Amino acid sequence: MENISIKLPSLKDAKKRTRKPINIYRDLYELSESLKKLGENKKYYLRTYGCQANERDSETIVGILDEMSFTKTDDYNEADLLIFNTCAIRENAVNKVFGEIGQLKRLKVKNPEVVFAVCGCMVQEEITIERIMNTYKQVDIVFGTHNIHRLPQLLENFINTKERTIEVFSIEGDVIENLPVKRFNKYKAWVNIMYGCDKFCTYCIVPYTRGKQRSRLMKDILDEVKELKEQGYKEITLLGQNVNSYGLDLGMEDGFATLLEEVAKINIERIRFATSHPRDFSLRMVDVIKDNKNIMPYLHLPVQSGNNEILRLMGRGYTVERFKMIYDKLKEAIPNIAFSTDMIVGFPNETREQFEDTLKLVDYCKFDFAFIFIYSPRAGTPAAKFIDNIDLKEKSERLQELNERVAKYGNLNNQKYLNKVVKVLVDGKSKRNDEVYSGYSEENKLVNFTGKNIKEGDIVEVLITEIKSWSMNGEKIN
Ligand code: 5AD
Ligand code: SF4
């Protein structure tokens, strides 16, 4: 067996971007016969924090565990293997994970044989690793975002040696194809189109935790979508930190618009994508979304701030005027398009007036939904060197004010659906009421509805009878 030493991350190395070509590996992952049996009669419990990229990584982790004969449990008390796939985007995400790692210490006390692994973005930061090494001795295995395919070998190493096994690489990253996947949903699938990010927005840790932008080859993406269609999937979401720059690293120009057109031709019922970036969003996208009925009329376009000076300090590379221009063009071409966005309040030096510019932008765009965050300094990012000079009370008040403004438009936007028919992809029965089904409309509105002969995965027509701020109620017609 190979000797796995402790390999620790470094944010300094993670920052590097060279011209080194991106390697595509197709046979990096392999399981020996003994690894295929390692999980026999053992149960795993997996907890996923954070964004869709993490959700998709967890599907790979489960695919690997399945091939190793582990079975799943939703009760961590009966697990032989615990895995936490973590998020580092904001301080509160990190604190939540540490709190929960702390709580599960008692499981180890009860059963010292339990194996505890932590992976994902958080462990790409050296401060996290130091904390785990010094304080959280219950963690046995740590692996990063670049070496999920190594999980079998790391597990085997720990089980055989009982030595803490920490392997985290701070590298630009490769594209690793052909990893197993166990999809969590039978009708909706995530499809990675690229990994990493080169934008280095000044507040953001992602370019450090996920490495350089690496696009998957178009053919690999299209093959995956075709396979999903054959398997009966109704909806796919193309995933990347900045989908609009898809293909730049492959020498493509306007690669994402081209990719979308090709994906649309496969005729899967619903195509979504996330996350878009106003800087790289090409205007050809307006026509591509308009001309392809299976590209859903919904766009998540993070603006972050409605003030140009703050956008400049954030290193976002666009102005409020550009954002509005994209918004106007899309609304004009696709009148029923729904919009959501991300916004940060309390970025260093943000004045009350600058914050009010964000409120004004919300008045202009009348977003259907927004994720609003309090700025959280991330060690190693350029903004962490700015003085975080807005007190928490002020930040919280801005958060609340902005949330209220967004809710007002959320409700107003939903009003126009009253007595109208929307198409809903059925997710299943509502958790609260057995008679009620739920799913999302093409515009990504959550719809709860009643009716007969409804199956998960169907696309049904629902007459909207009641409006709420963040959802709508209705009845299936015919
Ligand atoms: N503080 C607060 N919010 C952040 N985001 C990213 N980094 C930070 C940070 N340091 C938000 C941005 C991004 C979303 C995914 O998370 O709004 O679009
Ligand atoms: Fe972070 Fe900016 Fe990249 Fe989005 S585009 S992941 S906010 S650095």
Side-chain angles (χ1 to χ4, degrees):
M1 197 178 56
E2 71 186 295
N3 182 14
I4 296 178
S5 56
I6 291 196
K7 293 195 181 72
L8 301 175
S10 138
L11 283 184
K12 203 165 143 252
D13 289 343
K15 191 157 57 179
K16 286 186 193 142
R17 295 292 186 265
T18 64
R19 293 190 169 273
K20 190 176 93 58
I22 291 150
N23 293 313
I24 302 178
Y25 292 103
R26 296 185 185 276
D27 49 14
L28 258 198
Y29 164 80
E30 55 178 341
L31 282 188
S32 62
E33 286 311 308
S34 71
L35 283 176
K36 283 186 192 153
K37 295 191 193 131
L38 196 78
E40 273 176 3
N41 306 315
K42 293 202 174 103
K43 291 183 181 163
Y44 74 84
Y45 171 85
L46 171 67
R47 195 176 280 186
T48 308
Y49 302 83
C51 68
Q52 296 150 341
N54 263 18
E55 282 291 328
R56 179 61 189 78
D57 282 350
S58 281
E59 293 184 335
T60 298
I61 291 171
V62 172
I64 294 174
L65 294 174
D66 258 16
E67 291 193 354
M68 295 177 75
S69 310
F70 282 94
T71 48
K72 176 183 172 210
T73 175
D74 290 326
D75 176 5
Y76 51 73
N77 289 299
E78 59 170 38
D80 303 283
L81 167 65
L82 297 156
I83 303 187
F84 279 16
N85 188 5
T86 64
C87 168
I89 196 92
R90 283 169 295 273
E91 181 78 33
N92 54 7
V94 170
N95 289 341
K96 189 168 163 208
V97 173
F98 272 121
E100 291 178 11
I101 298 178
Q103 273 175 19
L104 293 187
K105 191 172 180 179
R106 63 187 166 78
L107 295 179
K108 272 289 247 225
V109 177
K110 217 168 68 186
N111 175 8
E113 293 301 305
V114 172
V115 178
F116 197 177
V118 180
C119 64
C121 285
M122 237 172 88
V123 303
Q124 294 290 139
E125 301 175 293
E126 53 256 55
I127 40 169
T128 302
I129 296 286
E130 274 163 30
R131 234 171 124 179
I132 289 181
M133 302 244 275
N134 297 331
T135 319
Y136 293 85
K137 308 258 188 243
Q138 64 269 40
V139 176
D140 304 308
I141 300 174
V142 178
F143 59 102
T145 55
H146 295 293
N147 58 341
I148 293 174
H149 62 284
R150 296 263 301 152
L151 173 59
Q153 287 74 20
L154 301 177
L155 264 170
E156 184 183 44
N157 182 72
F158 176 75
I159 288 169
N160 289 341
T161 65
K162 292 281 178 264
E163 275 177 30
R164 269 189 144 186
T165 303
I166 299 182
E167 187 183 87
V168 182
F169 299 119
S170 292
I171 48 173
E172 291 176 296
D174 307 301
V175 172
I176 305 175
E177 294 289 348
N178 299 331
L179 294 183
V181 53
K182 173 84 196 285
R183 300 197 188 262
F184 296 160
N185 189 300
K186 278 197 296 205
Y187 303 100
K188 303 200 280 195
W190 312 113
V191 177
N192 282 321
I193 63 166
M194 63 211 291
Y195 305 98
C197 180
D198 289 341
K199 281 286 169 285
F200 288 100
C201 301
T202 56
Y203 52 81
C204 185
I205 196 73
V206 170
Y208 308 80
T209 60
R210 295 234 161 223
K212 165 163 135 175
Q213 167 167 331
R214 293 101 66 201
S215 299
R216 291 178 70 200
L217 295 183
M218 186 130 101
K219 178 173 182 316
D220 289 326
I221 299 167
L222 296 177
D223 284 350
E224 184 173 339
V225 176
K226 282 178 199 151
E227 196 182 317
L228 288 165
K229 179 169 164 66
E230 277 160 27
Q231 291 168 354
Y233 278 85
K234 299 279 175 69
E235 178 176 301
I236 54 151
T237 303
L238 304 175
L239 283 187
Q241 300 298 338
N242 170 10
V243 290
N244 303 103
S245 66
Y246 169 78
L248 266 184
D249 49 306
L250 298 172
M252 294 167 81
E253 237 173 79
D254 209 0
F256 187 58
T258 309
L259 175 71
L260 258 186
E261 278 181 325
E262 292 303 312
V263 170
K265 284 184 199 153
I266 297 173
N267 268 330
I268 202 146
E269 273 93 336
R270 289 179 162 205
I271 300 162
R272 301 188 188 278
F273 51 89
T275 300
S276 298
H277 195 309
R279 176 179 161 175
D280 298 324
F281 191 97
S282 79
L283 291 180
R284 184 151 80 89
M285 287 285 295
V286 177
D287 291 329
V288 174
I289 301 173
K290 180 174 157 222
D291 295 342
N292 291 282
K293 290 293 154 247
N294 55 350
I295 301 179
M296 293 298 100
Y298 163 68
L299 186 70
H300 181 64
L301 192 63
V303 66
Q304 313 300 359
S305 165
N307 176 271
N308 282 335
E309 176 59 13
I310 295 292
L311 286 176
R312 193 183 67 73
L313 291 172
M314 288 177 163
R316 291 288 289 174
Y318 56 84
T319 57
V320 177
E321 291 69 34
R322 174 170 167 82
F323 186 89
K324 286 182 174 170
M325 183 273 290
I326 297 171
Y327 172 88
D328 288 340
K329 292 233 182 305
L330 281 160
K331 273 276 174 191
E332 193 185 84
I334 311 149
N336 68 328
I337 193 166
F339 267 93
S340 61
T341 195
D342 292 342
M343 292 180 283
I344 297 176
V345 296
F347 190 76
N349 297 312
E350 184 190 60
T351 62
R352 173 73 208 175
E353 288 70 34
Q354 289 171 326
F355 167 68
E356 281 172 9
D357 285 342
T358 303
L359 289 173
K360 282 184 202 142
L361 184 76
V362 171
D363 289 335
Y364 187 91
C365 296
K366 305 181 174 58
F367 297 107
D368 291 81
F369 187 72
F371 299 91
I372 306 168
F373 308 103
I374 287 181
Y375 168 69
S376 164
R378 308 310 298 133
T381 61
K385 297 199 186 77
F386 306 164
I387 301 168
D388 184 17
N389 54 356
I390 298 161
D391 69 42
L392 190 60
K393 185 168 164 284
E394 178 68 34
K395 285 179 181 169
S396 304
E397 282 168 11
R398 290 183 191 175
L399 175 76
Q400 196 186 341
E401 199 174 342
L402 198 50
N403 266 324
E404 280 165 12
R405 190 70 60 100
V406 170
K408 174 178 130 187
Y409 292 112
N411 196 299
L412 274 177
N413 282 325
N414 283 358
Q415 294 294 343
K416 57 179 184 274
Y417 293 96
L418 197 60
N419 301 322
K420 297 265 161 52
V421 173
V422 294
K423 285 190 181 144
V424 178
L425 171 55
V426 183
D427 279 332
K429 285 192 175 161
S430 143
K431 283 191 195 94
R432 284 194 225 130
N433 183 343
D434 211 32
E435 317 247 291
V436 176
Y437 291 81
S438 72
Y440 285 83
S441 75
E442 297 194 325
E443 304 82 2
N444 211 31
K445 303 276 178 188
L446 176 60
V447 181
N448 294 305
F449 59 101
T450 51
K452 295 215 162 34
N453 302 324
I454 299 168
K455 281 198 319 297
E456 200 183 311
D458 284 351
I459 294 178
V460 298
E461 297 202 324
V462 175
L463 176 69
I464 299 302
T465 53
E466 194 188 348
I467 297 301
K468 312 235 164 127
S469 284
W470 309 126
S471 67
M472 313 196 274
N473 295 339
E475 285 156 26
K476 179 182 166 237
I477 53 173
N478 65 52

